[in-house]
Amino acid sequence: MHLTLSMAAGPIIGAVIGYFTNNIAVKMLFRPHYEKRIGNFKVPFTPGVIPKEKPRLARAIGEAVGKQLLTEETLTANLISEGIEEKIKDEVGKFIDRQSENEASISESLQNFTTVDKIEIKKIELVQACMDKIEYYIDEISLGKVVADKVVIAANEYIQGTLLAMMITPEFMAPIAAKVEREVNSYLETDGIPMLTSILNLEADHLLNQQISVYGKQIAGSKETIQNAVYQVYETFVKTQMESFIKELDIAGIVESKINEMNVEELEDLVMSVMKNELRAVVNLGAVIGFVLGLVNTFI
């Protein structure tokens, strides 16, 4: 009996020592969470390995995620996968279908995002921008002179072959053309431009008060074309802008910053949630190795 207990004691003690040694080692990865001091003397092995090396760990994880895991190629491939394409087209199709049945006016829909006053201001600004362009091109082509020249040409064609043709010379028509040009320019300034502005305002109001379904039904027939066009724009954006997008996003920096912002307890919970079973296996493995070494030592 004495011999049997002696033989069993070595492996059992080895297993216990191995278990508690590895358990302490695992605990010391995180514990203590903060540095301990006795007076001016820093207690050895405080804080734990991971709290002490948190900045370096955060930098290493950030670089691994940003430079090896979430690379430009990986993100691009995933963002333009068949699944994403199908999802985008499906959502665009559903959006068009919803608008075909949307009885709300454009103005009412816009009020979900802004105020009536701001909508009115934007309408006025849009109308004014259109009128600025119209006035620019009217001045650019000299509309008054164009009309006057057309009047002279029409008058000459009308009297061609008559006695009046001998009397009405270019010199005779010049003052008339100048008068027509002045009258046209005056009309545009006093009546024409205000009338065009009023018409544009009426059209803008009509557009804002129109039911969305009217336009939704019009584009529903081209739904597939719109779906393909939207996805093409998306795909082109991803392919051409992903590099600059990744640089601007700085995934490595974001990950590093987030880990550094975590307190030690949160970091421990995060690691344990991922590696709890693996760390428990390390502790149990210490017991197994201790048992085996104790057994071997018994028979040497």
Side-chain angles (χ1 to χ4, degrees):
M1 180 65 68
H2 179 71
L3 180 60
T4 303
L5 290 175
S6 298
M7 292 176 61
I12 292 173
I13 293 173
V16 170
I17 292 174
Y19 179 87
F20 282 102
T21 300
N22 278 20
N23 187 57
I24 292 172
V26 168
K27 293 292 184 182
M28 288 181 66
L29 288 173
F30 299 97
R31 307 295 177 89
H33 291 156
Y34 304 100
E35 180 182 295
K36 303 293 183 181
R37 285 185 172 273
I38 300 175
N40 293 326
F41 178 72
K42 176 180 174 296
V43 178
F45 307 110
T46 65
V49 176
I50 290 180
K52 182 179 180 181
E53 299 294 334
K54 190 173 76 165
R56 187 176 63 83
L57 180 65
R59 189 180 309 109
I61 294 175
E63 290 181 355
V65 173
K67 297 181 180 179
Q68 299 180 33
L69 299 179
L70 296 181
T71 62
E72 177 187 345
E73 294 76 13
T74 300
L75 288 173
T76 299
N78 281 275
L79 287 173
I80 59 175
S81 64
E82 290 183 5
I84 292 294
E85 178 181 358
E86 183 178 343
K87 181 65 175 177
I88 289 175
K89 290 183 177 180
D90 181 58
E91 289 299 323
V92 172
K94 289 179 180 178
F95 175 80
I96 293 173
D97 292 338
R98 287 197 300 271
Q99 303 320 305
S100 299
E101 301 174 357
N102 191 345
E103 299 303 319
S105 69
I106 293 176
S107 178
E108 289 170 339
S109 295
L110 289 175
Q111 288 174 40
N112 293 325
F113 308 98
T114 185
T115 64
V116 175
D117 290 339
K118 288 183 178 180
I119 293 173
E120 183 65 21
I121 290 172
K122 287 300 179 183
K123 184 203 76 172
I124 294 172
E125 290 176 351
L126 179 60
V127 169
Q128 187 58 52
C130 291
M131 287 308 306
D132 289 343
K133 283 293 183 183
I134 291 173
E135 291 185 63
Y136 170 79
Y137 286 113
I138 287 175
D139 291 339
E140 189 73 10
I141 64 174
S142 299
L143 185 59
K145 187 175 187 309
V146 170
V147 173
D149 290 344
K150 290 297 182 181
V151 168
V152 171
I153 292 172
N156 287 331
E157 289 177 350
Y158 182 76
I159 64 175
Q160 192 67 34
T162 67
L163 291 175
L164 288 175
M166 299 175 60
M167 299 172 57
I168 300 178
T169 62
E171 290 75 14
F172 179 82
M173 292 298 297
I176 298 175
K179 176 68 173 175
V180 170
E181 181 178 347
R182 287 194 299 272
E183 289 298 323
V184 170
N185 288 335
S186 176
Y187 172 79
L188 287 173
E189 183 176 346
T190 58
D191 297 305
I193 297 299
M195 182 181 68
L196 285 174
T197 303
S198 177
I199 291 172
L200 282 178
N201 272 305
L202 288 174
E203 287 299 317
D205 288 335
H206 175 72
L207 174 64
L208 288 171
N209 293 320
Q210 187 65 270
Q211 289 181 332
I212 293 176
S213 59
V214 172
Y215 302 103
K217 290 172 182 176
Q218 290 177 359
I219 66 175
S222 304
K223 182 164 70 173
E224 184 176 351
T225 301
I226 295 172
Q227 287 173 307
N228 291 331
V230 170
Y231 180 73
Q232 286 298 321
V233 171
Y234 167 79
E235 183 180 36
T236 301
F237 172 80
V238 171
K239 288 181 176 179
T240 58
Q241 301 299 319
M242 183 53 67
E243 182 179 359
S244 59
F245 181 75
I246 291 294
K247 288 180 179 178
E248 187 69 25
L249 187 60
D250 187 18
I251 294 175
I254 292 174
V255 173
E256 180 181 351
S257 175
K258 282 297 181 182
I259 293 176
N260 280 323
E261 288 174 4
M262 297 172 69
N263 58 46
V264 179
E265 291 83 356
E266 290 175 328
L267 184 59
E268 180 179 7
D269 290 340
L270 175 63
V271 175
M272 291 302 294
S273 68
V274 176
M275 300 187 64
K276 184 176 182 179
N277 292 334
E278 289 75 9
L279 292 175
R280 184 182 292 118
V282 170
V283 174
N284 293 335
L285 182 61
V288 172
I289 294 174
F291 180 84
V292 171
L293 291 177
L295 189 65
V296 171
N297 187 61
T298 299
F299 290 101
I300 292 179

